[in-house]
Amino acid sequence: MPGIGKNVVCEKAATSVDAFRMVTASRYYPQLMSLVGNVLRFLPAFVRMKQLIAEHYVGAVMICDARIYSGSLLSPNYGWICDELMGGGGLHTMGTYIVDLLTHLTGRRAEKVHGLLKTFVRQNAAIRGIRHVTSDDFCFFQMLMGGGVCSTVTLNFNMPGAFVHEVMVVGSAGRLVARGADLYGQKNSATQEELLLRDSLAVGAGLPEQRPQDVPLLYLKGMVYMVQALRQSFQGQGDRRTWDHTPVSMAASFEDGLYMQSVVDAIKRSSRSGEWEAVEVLTEEPDANQNLCEALQRNNL
């Protein structure tokens, strides 16, 4: 029937099973848009970083290092962000997109991971009594990626002060580092780093003046760039279901979303076992009752 199926741009899934179902549904309508909204991919700094890596600015990629320091992610009231089973926590909220970004930049996927998740703030003035936080507010993990690339990621959501977001790629010939929305680089032969790109998007030029205070400015800028790309993708199309792939070619697919969640699941397994864990991407939907039992056992309910 005509009109069945919609173009979809959505947030990451809460679980691997949800991500797998999204992939399965999207394959019924491959001509329609099915994208995961990782806005970091649309930031000019990371678009340029990917181009420079492809042009061998850093030579052969060896090491990736990312760190995010921020204040608490908890909302004033108890909600999904407080609960690991509901997709809360720093690893799922922001770490998922860092995993995707590093794979997007390098073209390498994580094969094995080792990680540690901690919840330092289990209760506060607004969350107390019988309720407590089970989602992580600190996470550190390592990834062994294809081609021998090693990555380290630190996520700390107990830091007062300015939001820190830094992604570095080190290769045999130099390094690239995105600090916030600006890109810097340094060749091995150079004595100091150079500014390669400074983000020119001002708050008044594309962002609402009364912007949400719980969303970092970097991610709001990425949202603006993504929406601009989506607009270009649909402009000039005779049918509202058709779209131009070129403006959104850097976007994450639902398959990428399943990969992101698979890495996150492996990091969580590693945190519980204390061992390196292989990244296993679902190829079929597991039994729902078994997943529920395992989740309840992990949270001692």
Side-chain angles (χ1 to χ4, degrees):
M1 293 179 60
I4 291 180
K6 301 293 183 182
N7 294 305
V8 176
V9 180
C10 67
E11 260 284 354
K12 55 193 171 294
T15 67
S16 290
V17 175
D18 290 337
F20 181 80
R21 290 171 179 168
M22 290 165 60
V23 171
T24 302
S26 69
R27 288 174 178 168
Y28 281 103
Y29 303 98
Q31 75 279 10
L32 294 175
M33 178 183 289
S34 53
L35 304 178
V36 177
N38 184 358
V39 299
L40 296 179
R41 288 190 179 211
F42 290 86
L43 285 167
F46 294 118
V47 173
R48 183 60 179 148
M49 180 184 279
K50 182 174 175 61
Q51 293 172 346
L52 289 172
I53 292 173
E55 295 168 3
H56 305 290
Y57 181 96
V58 300
V61 176
M62 301 185 299
I63 301 166
C64 300
D65 184 85
R67 59 193 184 103
I68 298 177
Y69 298 156
S70 172
S72 176
L73 295 175
L74 300 179
S75 57
N77 299 312
Y78 187 88
W80 68 269
I81 195 69
C82 305
D83 194 324
E84 178 196 2
L85 293 178
M86 297 175 67
L91 174 61
H92 187 270
T93 304
M94 290 189 176
T96 304
Y97 285 153
I98 294 297
V99 169
D100 174 65
L101 179 66
L102 295 180
T103 292
H104 174 65
L105 293 173
T106 64
R108 311 287 187 178
R109 283 196 164 197
E111 298 175 349
K112 288 186 176 182
V113 298
H114 189 279
L116 171 68
L117 282 76
K118 290 283 290 183
T119 305
F120 285 99
V121 179
R122 296 188 175 274
Q123 291 188 320
N124 57 26
I127 303 170
R128 53 188 176 179
I130 62 171
R131 286 179 168 172
H132 61 279
V133 178
T134 59
S135 57
D136 61 281
D137 54 23
F138 174 83
C139 177
F140 172 81
F141 63 90
Q142 300 166 297
M143 299 188 294
L144 293 180
M145 309 177 78
V149 176
C150 297
S151 297
T152 61
V153 179
T154 303
L155 310 170
N156 187 351
F157 300 98
N158 297 282
M159 291 280 289
F163 177 76
V164 175
H165 192 286
E166 183 175 292
V167 177
M168 181 185 298
V169 177
V170 181
S172 58
R175 65 177 173 89
L176 291 165
V177 54
R179 298 190 184 100
D182 301 329
L183 179 64
Y184 300 84
Q186 183 173 353
K187 294 277 194 177
N188 288 347
S189 57
T191 57
Q192 60 183 12
E193 68 178 17
E194 58 180 330
L195 175 64
L196 300 175
L197 185 146
R198 185 177 296 280
D199 183 73
S200 59
L201 180 64
V203 172
L207 298 176
E209 294 184 2
Q210 299 298 325
R211 65 182 182 87
Q213 295 302 309
D214 57 343
V215 180
L217 180 61
L218 177 71
Y219 286 77
L220 286 177
K221 286 185 174 184
M223 179 66 73
V224 170
Y225 287 116
M226 184 181 75
V227 171
Q228 290 174 348
L230 288 169
R231 179 183 180 184
Q232 294 174 10
S233 180
F234 286 108
Q235 275 183 333
Q237 302 297 319
D239 188 332
R240 63 182 180 181
R241 291 171 297 176
T242 61
W243 51 291
D244 182 3
H245 291 63
T246 303
V248 292
S249 59
M250 73 286 287
S253 66
F254 280 9
E255 285 80 4
D256 294 324
L258 176 58
Y259 160 74
M260 299 178 214
Q261 192 59 47
S262 300
V263 176
V264 167
D265 287 350
I267 294 169
K268 291 181 178 180
R269 291 198 307 270
S270 174
S271 183
R272 294 192 296 269
S273 69
E275 305 288 341
W276 284 90
E277 296 285 346
V279 176
E280 301 172 350
V281 180
L282 288 179
T283 56
E284 60 182 13
E285 187 171 341
D287 180 71
N289 292 328
Q290 180 181 354
N291 288 339
L292 178 60
C293 291
E294 290 177 353
L296 292 175
Q297 288 173 1
R298 289 200 305 270
N299 285 270
N300 296 320
L301 295 178

